[in-house]
Amino acid sequence: MRTTRSTWRSAVAFALLAALTVPAVAFAASAGASARSAATAADDAPQTLEGGTSSVVDRVASFYGAYVDARTGTPDASLSNALRAHYLTTEFRARLDAWERKNAVDGVLRAQNTPRAWQVTYDNSGAGHTWTTVRLTWGDEKKPTYTYLSVQSDLATRLISDIKEGTATGGAADSVDSDD
């Protein structure tokens, strides 16, 4: 019975991962555009959103879109873990787990809560890596606050290999290391 239940949960987590990844990839193309509320977007002309599987920036946007969705409301730990397994390197997941145990916050978001919006922007590339800046939006629409993350991805695998606190202009402020 346990094997069946475990297999079923894995299948559900994978199906949810697939269902969230496709819309997140489509949404990724709008990451550079200004964020708009649902009410404002409904009043505008229809939007066309697109993304690509070869773009590291689109993959980071897909990950953050799906991850924020999985953590919003009643968090889905199975889906969050499946997303981490799909988008993060094995080595980074181990360092991230150690960092989270030490700091008692979600290392992907660098917070205890879930942001209401996210934006991903290309920052830099070199030495086999691409860096993107992730802006997380907190608070209400009238008085938003922002935190920034610098996300490193390996060009060969397009997997996220590090997340650091960042700045609005890009670059990292600190590192997610097991000894932080």
Side-chain angles (χ1 to χ4, degrees), residues 84-122:
R84 286 177 178 223
H86 184 73
Y87 285 97
L88 309 180
T89 66
T90 302
E91 185 271 334
F92 178 57
R93 284 195 317 268
R95 286 189 294 120
L96 188 63
D97 288 344
W99 187 92
E100 288 176 329
R101 281 190 303 275
K102 180 179 179 183
N103 293 280
V105 298
D106 185 307
V108 169
L109 303 173
R110 289 297 190 95
Q112 292 178 339
N113 299 320
T114 305
R116 67 174 177 82
W118 52 268
Q119 181 182 66
V120 177
T121 306
Y122 170 82

Side-chain angles (χ1 to χ4, degrees), residues 16 22 43-44 54-55 59 66 69 72 80 84 93 134 170:
L16 287 171
V22 172
D43 294 337
D44 292 343
S54 64
S55 167
R59 285 187 56 84
D69 284 348
T72 300
S80 297
R84 286 177 178 223
R93 284 195 317 268
V134 175

Side-chain angles (χ1 to χ4, degrees), residues 159-174:
L159 296 176
I160 294 171
S161 55
D162 204 3
I163 298 172
K164 302 175 182 180
E165 289 186 27
T167 64
T169 58
D174 77 346

Side-chain angles (χ1 to χ4, degrees), residues 96-157:
L96 188 63
D97 288 344
W99 187 92
E100 288 176 329
R101 281 190 303 275
K102 180 179 179 183
N103 293 280
V105 298
D106 185 307
V108 169
L109 303 173
R110 289 297 190 95
Q112 292 178 339
N113 299 320
T114 305
R116 67 174 177 82
W118 52 268
Q119 181 182 66
V120 177
T121 306
Y122 170 82
D123 183 29
N124 202 352
S125 290
H129 298 96
T130 291
W131 288 267
T132 50
T133 299
V134 175
R135 183 184 80 177
L136 301 175
T137 305
W138 309 89
D140 62 29
E141 289 184 25
K142 292 182 181 181
K143 290 190 176 190
T145 58
Y146 305 102
T147 58
Y148 297 87
L149 303 172
S150 179
V151 176
Q152 175 183 299
S153 300
D154 293 343
L155 286 175
T157 63

Side-chain angles (χ1 to χ4, degrees), residues 32-99:
S34 62
R36 294 183 288 169
S37 69
T40 302
D43 294 337
D44 292 343
Q47 294 180 4
T48 300
L49 307 173
E50 61 184 358
T53 58
S54 64
S55 167
V56 173
V57 176
D58 283 354
R59 285 187 56 84
V60 171
S62 296
F63 170 67
Y64 271 90
Y67 193 81
V68 167
D69 284 348
R71 304 296 301 162
T72 300
T74 303
D76 184 338
S78 294
L79 180 56
S80 297
N81 290 335
L83 289 165
R84 286 177 178 223
H86 184 73
Y87 285 97
L88 309 180
T89 66
T90 302
E91 185 271 334
F92 178 57
R93 284 195 317 268
R95 286 189 294 120
L96 188 63
D97 288 344
W99 187 92

